[in-house]
Amino acid sequence: MQNPRLTIIVPCYNEEAVLPKSAHILDGILTDLIQHKQVNAASKLLFVDDGSQDKTWKLIKSLEKQYSTVTGLKFSRNFGHQNALMAGMQVASPTAEIVITIDADLQDDPQVIPEMVARYRAGSDIVLGVRNDRSSDSLFKRWTADGFYRLMKRIGVQLVPNHADFRLLSQRAVQALLTYEETNLFLRGIVPRLGFPTTKLYYHRQPRFAGVSKYPLRKMVAFAFDGITSFSIAPIKVILLFGMVISGGSLMMMLYALIQGLLGTATSGWSSLMTSLWFLGGMQLIGISIVGEYVGKIFAEVKHRPRYIIETDDYTATQQPAIVNSQRVHG
């Protein structure tokens, strides 16, 4: 096997606090791989600026001058983490035999990247970075994460527990992934569906050395719900089940009220009436909201708007001219 060309894709959103150190570490790892002839000398680091509001893009431009391996890609605005990953893969796929995606904070251990490459050379098209424990997380986060993975498994979604977006993909795996054209991306659910030879590589997650997490609780909940509704109609089935249970209960209550009326023992019950009304009203609103979520996803998909718009592409400028002309379609 010839030395494959590797592109390490790093999505960035307001990461000026971590970029200098992250670039230094990743450049060192990539340079070492090149020197040991594990990857091609044309391999690159691709930092994708997802519409940052700080000095992230200026730093990327500065890093391009400092490191020969560094290139950048800039969105016209913020399009989201998953779209940043897809953009990086689409731009890199014509020339890179393998891509590795990793977040800029390097909490996912970059020191296992050489082993990822070794697994690829041994025949794996997909190498998933999987956390070996969640001891660095709070008790609440561990509990909610475990509950999420159990729920996804129960509703039939193929997820790898404790795997986020730290992975290696071969060129053919990337090309297959790019055929998924949905607007609502949940890569953790799509990648296991590709079906190519896959291995798991376990690592210990590191604490964030600077900056703040870009996934607070609100975004984590939204991301989890997006994953559920992108791959399963189970929530609608749950609503149907609740509706059947409540309808059955209502029939029983009607029968009970009829019997009480015939016996002449019926009494007015304002509290029970109001409780029933509030409960049923709440269930209806929940049901409408969940169905609306699916309708909204359909609305977003059928418009076929681009998932992202690239403002500046320094990566293709370093490739062959023929490749530059082929990179004008942005999802």
Side-chain angles (χ1 to χ4, degrees):
M1 177 185 292
Q2 295 182 344
N3 297 339
R5 185 180 296 192
L6 166 66
T7 298
I8 300 176
I9 299 168
V10 188
C12 306
Y13 179 67
N14 295 341
E15 298 287 6
E16 65 174 324
V18 301
L19 268 184
K21 184 174 181 179
S22 297
H24 177 73
I25 293 173
L26 291 173
D27 174 76
I29 292 171
L30 185 56
T31 300
D32 189 64
L33 285 169
I34 292 172
Q35 291 176 348
H36 286 83
K37 300 187 184 302
Q38 296 301 302
V39 299
N40 192 280
S43 298
K44 294 290 184 180
L45 298 174
L46 174 57
F47 291 92
V48 182
D49 180 10
D50 182 23
S52 298
Q53 303 299 312
D54 61 1
K55 298 178 181 179
T56 293
W57 181 244
K58 290 183 179 179
L59 272 173
I60 292 173
K61 297 297 289 184
S62 176
L63 292 168
E64 287 180 347
K65 299 176 182 178
Q66 185 177 352
Y67 301 103
S68 61
T69 59
V70 172
T71 58
L73 189 71
K74 186 179 187 296
F75 282 174
S76 61
R77 62 172 178 82
N78 178 250
F79 284 91
H81 179 268
Q82 301 290 281
N83 285 321
L85 292 174
M86 288 294 283
M89 287 186 283
Q90 182 167 348
V91 168
S93 62
T95 56
E97 281 82 17
I98 48 178
V99 301
I100 292 176
T101 58
I102 186 171
D103 288 344
D105 56 22
L106 298 190
Q107 286 188 272
D108 299 317
D109 188 2
Q111 300 304 325
V112 304
I113 287 177
E115 178 60 24
M116 284 184 160
V117 175
R119 298 281 183 94
Y120 164 78
R121 295 174 70 92
S124 295
D125 283 275
I126 302 172
V127 183
L128 304 176
V130 181
R131 297 174 62 173
N132 57 12
D133 66 80
R134 303 190 72 96
S135 58
S136 60
D137 291 344
S138 65
L139 180 63
F140 174 76
K141 192 169 184 178
R142 290 200 298 270
W143 181 79
T144 53
D146 289 341
F148 172 69
Y149 287 120
R150 286 197 299 269
L151 174 61
M152 295 296 276
K153 182 178 180 180
R154 192 174 185 85
I155 63 178
V157 181
Q158 301 176 33
L159 282 187
V160 177
N162 299 321
H163 164 68
D165 290 302
F166 182 33
R167 63 178 71 93
L168 176 147
L169 297 173
S170 68
Q171 189 175 46
R172 68 171 179 170
V174 171
Q175 292 294 341
L177 180 59
L178 291 175
T179 63
Y180 285 75
E181 299 181 350
E182 59 248 50
T183 301
N184 300 284
L185 284 170
F186 189 69
L187 295 179
R188 301 179 198 186
I190 296 175
V191 171
R193 292 170 173 260
L194 298 180
F196 295 111
T198 302
T199 59
K200 301 174 186 177
L201 182 59
Y202 292 90
Y203 67 95
H204 178 70
R205 189 170 172 84
Q206 307 296 319
R208 189 181 179 97
F209 58 82
V212 295
S213 172
K214 303 306 182 297
Y215 269 92
L217 179 61
R218 177 181 60 82
K219 284 191 175 182
M220 288 297 294
V221 171
F223 187 63
F225 188 69
D226 196 44
I228 293 170
T229 54
S230 293
F231 286 88
S232 174
I233 60 170
I236 293 180
K237 292 182 178 179
V238 171
I239 294 172
L240 174 61
L241 178 61
F242 270 114
M244 294 173 65
V245 171
I246 293 171
S247 296
S250 299
L251 290 174
M252 293 179 65
M253 289 300 297
M254 288 175 63
L255 181 61
Y256 173 76
L258 179 62
I259 293 173
Q260 292 292 90
L262 292 174
L263 295 175
T265 57
T267 57
S268 59
W270 184 86
S271 298
S272 59
L273 177 62
M274 293 304 297
T275 300
S276 299
L277 287 175
W278 279 102
F279 177 73
L280 292 173
M283 289 301 301
Q284 288 173 343
L285 288 175
I286 292 172
I288 292 171
S289 298
I290 293 178
V291 174
E293 177 71 18
Y294 283 97
V295 173
K297 285 181 177 292
I298 295 171
F299 178 65
E301 295 291 347
V302 298
K303 288 186 290 186
H304 298 295
R305 291 180 179 176
R307 289 186 293 216
Y308 51 83
I309 297 173
I310 295 175
E311 179 179 322
T312 307
D313 181 1
D314 292 341
Y315 180 88
T316 53
T318 66
Q319 309 302 308
Q320 300 173 5
I323 299 300
V324 175
N325 294 330
S326 70
Q327 288 301 307
R328 297 302 100 195
V329 179
H330 302 145

